[in-house]
């Protein structure tokens, strides 16, 4: 039976940033033992709401109340992270805030007590051991954080919150950097914590995970509460429709028809071991009429492969060939001229020039082409016409072709890049995290257009940390771990578990594929 007094209550929270209404009279309750999933598209107001809860922002209207130790509800003073921590609110951000040179034990104690306090380490170790026994958050407390895996670092972050006696735990996109097996381990821990009375707010965009771990789902849209669902009575379609505000069209993928080799890596190595870009003896081929999905935990070499395909790096050893011709210099312009197009991972910094117009950004890679240049002068009329057509075709929400790109939201910047990439019908497409931050409806449209590009004969490499996305798109899988690459084969012969083991470098999964 639900405790009649919630652990946490947000009442009519409203927050404005100038003319932007980020949160509009949002209310929610969280009870003991409940895992509440908080969903919404990019810009829906989730982050603002959690920053108000944790005291980083001050709301314009409304209040935050927490269950006090005497059983009553106390109102938190606005804008006080210290008060939020003291009231038992813990938050684990997507990007961890740990001191890499300290042990797990000292990271957990950091900010709570002096690290050199006589006798404190023993008391802390005993308290943490009890938390580990109750939660299942097993981790080597004496190893330096720099030597821990990503999943272990996340456990240290959660232990840090529980060590401070958190009764409410907020997790922001907690599985973004985990393998499927690590994610399932996290869900087991969350279920155990909830069973012990902890309240959990779980922020995610992965609907399968939300349906697996939560008890209740709250959806935000355009700064307002769009609705709530009991997880037991929900499905993907109902959640997606609520997030977008209308029915979302499903994308169906037919098998690709692989043709000639468009891009080939032959024993390519790059960088030093341990670097995010480092690659060791990587070989694979990308064919026309095919979508290849590249899976891996972030930082295992995906950025190196992307840099090579984009013309931002050249192999330290080995050969990269484009339609049979070796690529010997780092020359993005030359690769664009040969039909290579990219959707970069960091769209705001690498994808657009913020101070240039939408029209300029769409034409930026083709300004020397006859379509946009005459006698050495830019044809502004042609550039605006292309941009106007792209804005309409790709639903880029902006004031017009002359608007500066920096004024666009992240999702609309992504649509702008998609228009620039696909409208010139490239022969090779690098799609790096193509739908990160997009709402469900926009994701479906991006997927539809990527599949259509493949069906026109393009060779497509999709790099994504979302396995659901890769299984929705890929004809074939590659997996990268610690700079080494495994060709996992056709998608229809694979499942999430196998890909997850390969992402973790499990040799038995490689042996099973080879047999």
């Amino acid at each position: 039976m639900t405790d009649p007094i919630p652990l946490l209550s947000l009442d009519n929270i409203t927050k404005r940033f100038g003319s932007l209404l980020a949160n509009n009279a949002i209310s929610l309750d969280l009870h003991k033992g409940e895992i509440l999933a908080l969903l919404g598209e990019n810009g829906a107001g989730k982050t603002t709401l959690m920053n108000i809860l944790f005291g980083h922002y001050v709301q314009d209207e409304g209040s935050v109340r927490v269950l006090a130790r005497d059983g009553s509800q106390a109102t938190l003073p606005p804008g006080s992270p210290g008060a939020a921590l003291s009231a038992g609110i813990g938050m684990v951000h997507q990007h961890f805030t740990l001191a890499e040179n300290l042990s797990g034990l000292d990271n957990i104690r950091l900010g709570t007590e002096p690290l050199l306090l006589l006798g404190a380490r023993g008391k802390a170790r005993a308290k943490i051991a009890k938390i580990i026994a109750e939660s299942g958050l097993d981790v080597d407390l004496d190893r330096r954080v720099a030597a821990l895996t990503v999943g272990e670092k996340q456990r240290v972050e959660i232990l840090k919150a529980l060590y401070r006696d958190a009764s409410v735990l907020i997790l922001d996109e907690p599985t973004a950097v985990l393998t499927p097996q690590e994610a399932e381990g996290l869900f087991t821990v969350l279920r155990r914590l909830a069973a012990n009375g902890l309240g959990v707010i779980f922020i995610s965009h992965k609907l399968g995970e939300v349906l697996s771990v939560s008890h209740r789902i709250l959806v935000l849209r355009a700064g307002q509460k769009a609705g709530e669902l009991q997880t037991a009575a929900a499905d993907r379609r109902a959640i997606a429709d609520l997030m977008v505000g209308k029915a979302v069209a499903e994308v169906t993928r037919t098998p690709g028809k692989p043709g000639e080799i468009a891009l080939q890596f032959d024993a390519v190595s790059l960088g030093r071991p341990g670097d995010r870009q480092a690659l060791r003896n990587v070989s694979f081929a990308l064919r026309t009429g095919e979508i290849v999905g590249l899976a891996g935990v972030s930082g295992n070499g995906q950025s190196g492969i992307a840099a090579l395909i984009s013309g931002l790096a050249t192999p330290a050893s080995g050969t990269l060939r484009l339609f049979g011709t070796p690529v010997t210099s780092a020359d993005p312009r030359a690769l664009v001229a040969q039909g290579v197009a990219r959707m970069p991972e960091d769209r705001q910094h690498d994808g657009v020039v913020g101070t240039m117009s939408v029209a300029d950004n769409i034409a930026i890679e083709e300004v020397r082409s006859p379509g946009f240049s005459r006698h050495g002068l830019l044809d502004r009329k042609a550039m605006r016409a292309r941009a106007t057509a792209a804005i309409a075709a790709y639903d880029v929400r902006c004031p017009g072709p002359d608007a500066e790109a920096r004024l666009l939201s992240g999702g609309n910047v992504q649509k702008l890049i998609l228009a620039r990439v696909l409208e010139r019908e490239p022969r090779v497409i690098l799609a790096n995290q193509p739908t990160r931050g997009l709402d469900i409806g926009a994701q479906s449209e991006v997927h539809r257009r990527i599949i259509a590009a493949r069906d026109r004969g393009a060779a497509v490499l999709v790099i994504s940390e979302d396995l659901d996305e890769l299984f929705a798109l890929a004809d074939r899988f590659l997996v990268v771990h610690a700079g080494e690459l495994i060709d996992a084969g056709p998608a229809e012969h694979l499942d999430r578990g196998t890909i997850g083991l390969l992402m973790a470098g499990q040799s038995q999964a490689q042996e099973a594929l080879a047999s």
Side-chain angles (χ1 to χ4, degrees), residues 111-436:
T112 304
E113 60 203 26
L115 295 185
L116 300 179
L117 186 65
L118 191 65
R121 287 177 65 85
K123 291 180 180 178
R125 191 181 293 275
K127 180 176 179 179
I128 297 167
K130 182 180 179 183
I131 295 171
I132 289 174
E134 292 173 349
S135 66
L137 283 163
D138 193 23
V139 68
D140 186 345
L141 297 175
D142 295 314
R143 292 179 69 193
R144 284 196 314 127
V145 162
L148 299 179
T149 67
V150 174
E152 288 169 333
K153 290 177 182 179
Q154 186 179 71
R155 289 179 171 224
V156 171
E157 285 277 22
I158 297 173
L159 284 170
K160 189 173 183 177
L162 298 178
Y163 184 73
R164 298 181 178 190
D165 300 320
S167 57
V168 173
L169 184 64
I170 305 164
L171 297 167
D172 185 8
E173 297 287 355
T175 66
V177 292
L178 302 183
T179 68
Q181 286 80 6
E182 288 174 324
E184 192 51 52
L186 172 65
F187 299 158
T188 299
V189 166
L190 294 182
R191 293 183 189 106
R192 186 179 295 182
L193 290 172
N196 291 336
L198 191 77
V200 179
I201 298 178
F202 182 88
I203 303 171
S204 179
H205 70 280
K206 299 178 181 179
L207 301 190
E209 294 179 354
V210 166
L211 289 168
S212 170
V213 74
S214 69
H215 300 115
R216 184 163 54 95
I217 300 166
L218 188 147
V219 179
L220 300 185
R221 186 173 69 245
Q224 300 186 73
K225 188 161 73 173
E228 291 186 43
L229 297 167
Q230 293 297 320
T231 305
D235 57 26
R236 289 172 180 264
R237 173 51 61 88
I239 300 170
D241 292 353
L242 199 57
M243 289 174 67
V244 180
K246 60 183 179 182
V248 177
E250 289 191 47
V251 177
T252 55
R253 182 182 63 85
T254 55
K257 298 177 180 177
E260 66 173 316
I261 294 176
L263 187 75
Q264 186 164 8
F265 280 57
D266 186 6
V268 168
S269 294
L270 177 70
R272 298 177 180 177
D275 291 346
R276 288 178 60 85
Q277 286 194 345
L279 300 172
R280 186 170 60 186
N281 202 35
V282 166
S283 298
F284 71 90
L286 185 63
R287 295 179 178 273
T288 59
E290 177 184 53
I291 298 174
V292 173
L294 178 61
V297 175
S298 179
N300 274 266
Q302 299 96 317
S303 60
I305 292 173
L308 289 164
I309 296 174
S310 301
L312 300 174
T314 53
S317 63
T319 306
L320 170 63
R321 290 184 175 85
L322 181 63
F323 290 103
T325 302
V327 177
T328 57
S329 62
D331 189 345
R333 184 181 299 166
L335 290 182
V336 168
Q338 294 174 71
V340 178
R342 69 181 184 119
M343 298 172 63
E345 178 180 11
D346 187 344
R347 54 185 175 240
Q348 294 286 2
H349 294 97
D350 297 336
V352 296
V353 180
T355 55
M356 291 173 59
S357 69
V358 169
D360 288 342
N361 273 285
I362 286 179
I364 196 168
E365 293 182 339
E366 299 178 83
V367 289
R368 288 181 170 83
S369 70
F372 295 134
S373 179
R374 293 183 180 181
H375 311 295
L377 298 175
L378 291 178
D379 186 342
R380 293 285 180 184
K381 184 177 180 181
M383 291 167 62
R384 287 193 187 93
R386 166 76 74 85
T388 299
I391 288 169
Y394 289 79
D395 190 27
V396 181
R397 299 178 187 180
C398 65
D402 296 321
E404 290 187 1
R406 65 182 179 84
L407 301 176
L408 275 62
S409 69
N412 283 303
V413 167
Q414 188 74 332
K415 292 176 187 178
L416 186 157
I417 294 169
L418 189 70
R420 182 176 70 208
V421 165
L422 297 183
E423 284 303 292
R424 58 188 177 90
E425 298 190 2
R427 298 194 293 170
V428 176
I429 298 171
L430 167 66
N432 197 347
Q433 313 299 337
T435 63
R436 179 183 284 167

Side-chain angles (χ1 to χ4, degrees), residues 10 13-17 22-23 45-64 76-81 84 89 91:
L10 277 67
I13 297 295
T14 297
K15 178 65 178 176
R16 300 177 182 85
F17 295 99
N23 289 152
K46 306 186 299 296
T47 301
T48 299
L49 191 66
M50 292 302 101
N51 278 326
I52 289 170
L53 169 58
F54 204 65
H56 290 314
Y57 291 165
V58 176
Q59 64 270 30
D60 296 313
E61 300 170 26
S63 62
V64 177
L76 283 183
S80 176
I89 298 173
M91 190 166 185

Side-chain angles (χ1 to χ4, degrees), residues 72-89:
S72 64
Q73 275 202 326
T75 300
L76 283 183
S80 176
L85 285 169
S86 298
I89 298 173

